[in-house]
Amino acid sequence: MNKKAKLAMNIAVVILFVYLYTKLDYQEILINLKAVPVTVLVALFALQIVDMLLVNYQNQRLSKRLGYPMSFYKMNFITSIGHVFDAITPGGGVGGEAVKIMMLKKHADVPISTGTAVVLSQKTISGCALLVFCICAFFYVTLTSSLGMPLSLKIAIYVGLISLLFLMIYVFYHPRKFINKCEKIKREKVRAPIINFLEGIEQIGADKNECMKQIFISFFIWFIYPFKLYLLLFVTNVQINFLSIYAIIFLSYGTAMIPIFPGGMLGFEVSMTSLLTIYGVAADKGLFITTLFRIVTFWFVIAVSLLYMGAYKLGTVFFQPSHRNLK
């Protein structure tokens, strides 16, 4: 995407977002907020913590599989740093992944090559799971709603998504073929991280049990997200069937992966609010639900990550000998 096209998309999304907020009934939003029980908020935050811990568990298992075992606490510290940087970098959190690689080197003596393999392997497995859900969601929405899209555009999106999924699966199961091709790349800075990643994928793929566990964990993590939205819709008296909720979530996250704003902000909000509106939810209630959902799945993650980072650093000060042994 060239700079002019990206700027135009930025401006369009901001205008649409501002327009949505100017049309809000803030009194209705306050009523909706009061209607959300504290127990539901606690349940939502608890589900998000489960998600975060599972991502950390994935990273810990991958690091161990590649020869660098470390404590759950140390890996969670590194993962938390990644969460914070994910939030301030556009699209798929590339900045967060780069920081995780550097932190693995700094805090756990994991070589850059192995760190690259750990981080990108987890991202690839998670990305495959998200892509499968996105394809199914888009298929469902195109069957139940016109979306105002011409058939040719729908077909193009299907072809693009399915092609990307097959490419990711093929890379995962046949990394050696890509390694041989990548060795021909002349620039070391480009060649090295790609080969490190592919060699890591090859090692993980050699352990079929570990591979299946990683895939299952990724699917389970993503599958929790529709339940969070279901809880919010239930307590705000919005009746949408679960398949539609599923479609709303994954199409919104698919949109958020487009690298426009940090952490997928605005793109996610506009997409989710628009999809809720398509399914009959009033714009003000839809934006309220979206905002609350993002507080749980985005801002809460940043807050918990910062708190954990602070607690971990304090722990290393007061219990330095024990933490040094947590490798």
Side-chain angles (χ1 to χ4, degrees), residues 84-219:
V84 174
F85 278 87
D86 279 346
I88 60 176
T89 53
V94 176
E97 308 316 321
V99 169
K100 282 184 205 173
I101 294 167
M102 298 306 297
M103 292 302 102
L104 284 167
K105 172 64 177 175
K106 180 178 179 180
H107 295 284
D109 295 324
V110 177
I112 294 295
S113 57
T114 306
T116 301
V118 170
V119 171
L120 294 187
S121 295
Q122 190 278 329
K123 199 72 173 179
T124 301
I125 296 167
S126 178
C128 281
L130 175 60
L131 199 53
V132 169
F133 282 129
C134 285
I135 291 169
C136 295
F138 187 70
F139 180 72
Y140 175 79
V141 169
T142 53
L143 286 179
T144 57
S145 175
S146 66
L147 291 178
M149 284 186 182
L151 180 60
S152 57
L153 179 57
K154 291 179 184 178
I155 292 172
I157 292 173
Y158 275 126
V159 171
L161 290 174
I162 293 171
S163 298
L164 180 59
L165 177 62
F166 275 105
L167 176 62
M168 292 173 76
I169 293 172
Y170 190 79
V171 169
F172 199 83
Y173 282 99
H174 302 282
R176 180 50 54 182
K177 292 183 179 180
F178 287 89
I179 291 172
N180 294 335
K181 291 181 179 179
C182 289
E183 285 175 345
K184 299 176 183 178
I185 298 173
K186 294 181 179 180
R187 292 186 64 183
E188 174 69 18
K189 289 183 179 180
V190 176
R191 183 180 70 253
I194 296 174
I195 291 178
N196 291 336
F197 159 63
L198 291 170
E199 287 177 343
I201 287 288
E202 189 174 40
Q203 270 189 271
I204 295 162
D207 187 340
K208 301 302 180 186
N209 288 333
E210 181 62 30
C211 190
M212 291 307 298
K213 285 177 184 176
Q214 290 290 336
I215 292 170
F216 174 79
I217 292 170
S218 286
F219 273 91

Side-chain angles (χ1 to χ4, degrees), residues 125-325:
I125 296 167
S126 178
C128 281
L130 175 60
L131 199 53
V132 169
F133 282 129
C134 285
I135 291 169
C136 295
F138 187 70
F139 180 72
Y140 175 79
V141 169
T142 53
L143 286 179
T144 57
S145 175
S146 66
L147 291 178
M149 284 186 182
L151 180 60
S152 57
L153 179 57
K154 291 179 184 178
I155 292 172
I157 292 173
Y158 275 126
V159 171
L161 290 174
I162 293 171
S163 298
L164 180 59
L165 177 62
F166 275 105
L167 176 62
M168 292 173 76
I169 293 172
Y170 190 79
V171 169
F172 199 83
Y173 282 99
H174 302 282
R176 180 50 54 182
K177 292 183 179 180
F178 287 89
I179 291 172
N180 294 335
K181 291 181 179 179
C182 289
E183 285 175 345
K184 299 176 183 178
I185 298 173
K186 294 181 179 180
R187 292 186 64 183
E188 174 69 18
K189 289 183 179 180
V190 176
R191 183 180 70 253
I194 296 174
I195 291 178
N196 291 336
F197 159 63
L198 291 170
E199 287 177 343
I201 287 288
E202 189 174 40
Q203 270 189 271
I204 295 162
D207 187 340
K208 301 302 180 186
N209 288 333
E210 181 62 30
C211 190
M212 291 307 298
K213 285 177 184 176
Q214 290 290 336
I215 292 170
F216 174 79
I217 292 170
S218 286
F219 273 91
F220 183 76
I221 289 169
W222 282 114
F223 195 69
I224 293 174
Y225 279 78
F227 285 98
K228 297 173 194 173
L229 181 57
Y230 173 81
L231 281 175
L232 277 177
L233 294 174
F234 179 77
V235 298
T236 52
N237 298 314
V238 175
Q239 295 183 347
I240 300 178
N241 68 68
F242 188 76
L243 284 176
S244 298
I245 293 171
Y246 160 91
I248 290 167
I249 283 293
F250 290 112
L251 288 181
S252 299
Y253 271 107
T255 304
M257 294 301 288
I258 300 172
I260 300 176
F261 293 101
M265 287 189 294
L266 298 187
F268 179 91
E269 282 79 0
V270 170
S271 176
M272 187 167 171
T273 304
S274 301
L275 287 166
L276 285 168
T277 304
I278 288 173
Y279 284 98
V281 181
D284 53 350
K285 181 171 280 191
L287 195 52
F288 163 76
I289 291 167
T290 300
T291 302
L292 191 52
F293 185 85
R294 284 294 262 179
I295 288 172
V296 172
T297 60
F298 183 78
W299 298 109
F300 176 71
V301 172
I302 298 172
V304 170
S305 296
L306 289 170
L307 285 171
Y308 184 84
M309 288 160 59
Y312 183 89
K313 293 300 287 184
L314 283 174
T316 59
V317 172
F318 291 105
F319 307 102
Q320 196 169 13
S322 61
H323 276 269
R324 277 179 174 172
N325 293 328

Side-chain angles (χ1 to χ4, degrees), residues 47-63:
L47 285 172
Q48 189 59 42
I49 288 173
V50 169
D51 275 349
M52 295 170 68
L53 293 176
L54 284 173
V55 170
N56 186 63
Y57 180 61
Q58 272 190 300
N59 287 327
Q60 186 195 25
R61 289 188 66 93
L62 287 168
S63 182

